[in-house]
Amino acid sequence: MFYRTPLGWLQLRHRPMRLVVAICGVMFANLLMFMQFGFLGSLIQTTVQLQSHLIGDIVISSTSGRQLQGIGTVPRRRLLQSLAVPGVRDMTEVYSGLIDWINPTTGKTANLTVIGIDPEVPVFLDPDIDAQRFKLRTLGSALMDRRARGDWSAVIRSVEAGGVLTTEISGRQARVEGLFSMGATFGADGTLIVSRETFLSFTGARSAGAVSFGLVRLAPGVDPGATVEALRTVLAYEDTKVETMAEFLASHKRFLAQDSPVSFVFRTGAFIGLLVGAAIVYQILYADVNEHMSEYAMLKSLGYSHGYLLGVVCEQAAILAVLGYLPSLAAAAAVYAVVAKATALPLVLTFDRAANVFALTCLMCAVSGALATRRLRAADPADIF
């Protein structure tokens, strides 16, 4: 293309409206892929964002648990057994569940993930949470997520001003005494952190012996892999799973990315966008090749090879890929910002995602161009005489 007359570009430019339609088709396909991959990435990130803030070397959880909202429970006696394993320094229980909380200022109901912890033990890496955990010693006290979905501005202003917001959860009095930043997820509008006793009072049907998961911390210098194997030997029960923190997070991400129905829906949406874009580009290129069959036949009669003609069509496909991708990248960044503000979900246009969509765009246009070039085989120099 750089050492000859750019026939592909000249032919595309010759029909401006057709070129605009082709670019819009590629843009639509790209934007659809950007949104589907963005929602999938946001699903994975938000579902493990709380777990990634936990302090622990090893996690003991239920074999039925796949994500925080449906993590299941493990008997507390299993966790206490872990303390007898050499190398284990301490263990703390974490309770997790969902509650409905009516916003006292707007009257709207919010679905929050409530986490019950021991206020005397550091559980979160977030220094903002760790510095306020002493406030949870009083029954009914809670720390609230300032980035929860919905209008919580009045609540946040009141607490930031040094006040304590009193409200009611599950028929019991609750006091919001502090704030932290976590963010909404697909399954909950935000997070509420309370003590174990407060958690059990809010979720009356929950037994203290049914723990969501346990965080095990090891003594300095102890090999986590060897300790995990020792714990698996001691806790060899069908309902109990022992993993390092890295394995715990990876298994949750893997389930969301590969096995969950939601991820299948998002991937299917991206694939449909790819098919739609390929069909539009194919129609444009095919129509252009068909319209210029006599010109292609003349080039053949002048001695130009079939490969040269294929290069012209491939040039058109590459131009459409680039011209369609650049505006879709800008549009995706704008849509991400709007959706993130409306849903409180972390939709971020990462370099990896942009590179992946560009690669799929090139593949889409290349396949469409390859299919359109089949028509060139019928370009016969005899047709022009």
Side-chain angles (χ1 to χ4, degrees), residues 92-95 115-119 121 123-124 129 133 136 193-197 199:
T92 184
E93 306 101 0
V94 178
Y95 296 81
I115 303 296
I117 63 172
D118 182 355
V121 179
V123 176
F124 290 94
I129 300 175
R133 56 187 168 86
L136 304 178
I193 299 177
V194 299
S195 67
R196 293 177 299 185
E197 293 72 21
F199 176 91

Side-chain angles (χ1 to χ4, degrees), residues 172-355:
R172 296 182 179 273
Q173 187 182 68
R175 297 179 306 280
V176 180
E177 299 196 20
L179 302 169
F180 64 96
S181 298
M182 186 72 67
T185 69
F186 276 76
D189 295 318
T191 305
L192 202 67
I193 299 177
V194 299
S195 67
R196 293 177 299 185
E197 293 72 21
T198 302
F199 176 91
L200 296 173
S201 70
F202 287 166
T203 57
R206 186 76 169 266
S207 167
V211 183
S212 297
F213 54 90
L215 298 175
V216 176
R217 291 190 295 178
L218 304 178
V222 174
D223 180 18
T227 309
V228 165
E229 293 303 321
L231 284 169
R232 287 172 179 169
T233 301
V234 173
L235 304 177
Y237 304 100
E238 293 184 356
D239 61 350
T240 305
K241 179 171 54 177
V242 181
E243 302 168 296
T244 64
M245 179 62 75
E247 291 172 341
F248 179 70
L249 295 174
S251 63
H252 283 227
K253 290 181 180 180
R254 184 168 55 252
F255 168 74
L256 291 168
Q258 301 175 6
D259 302 326
S260 69
V262 178
S263 69
F264 178 78
V265 170
F266 289 145
R267 293 183 187 279
T268 302
F271 180 69
I272 290 174
L274 193 67
L275 290 181
V276 169
I280 293 174
V281 173
Y282 170 74
Q283 290 292 336
I284 296 296
L285 294 179
Y286 182 86
D288 186 81
V289 169
N290 194 56
E291 182 178 322
H292 296 91
M293 281 298 290
S294 59
E295 287 86 347
Y296 284 124
M298 178 175 288
L299 289 174
K300 274 190 175 183
S301 69
L302 294 174
Y304 287 92
S305 66
H306 182 69
Y308 176 87
L309 303 184
L310 294 180
V312 173
V313 179
C314 290
E315 174 191 326
Q316 291 178 303
I319 291 172
L320 291 178
V322 174
L323 292 183
Y325 175 78
L326 293 177
S328 67
L329 183 65
V335 175
Y336 271 26
V338 173
V339 174
K341 184 176 181 180
T343 63
L345 293 174
L347 275 172
V348 180
L349 187 56
T350 63
F351 176 81
D352 289 344
R353 187 171 302 147

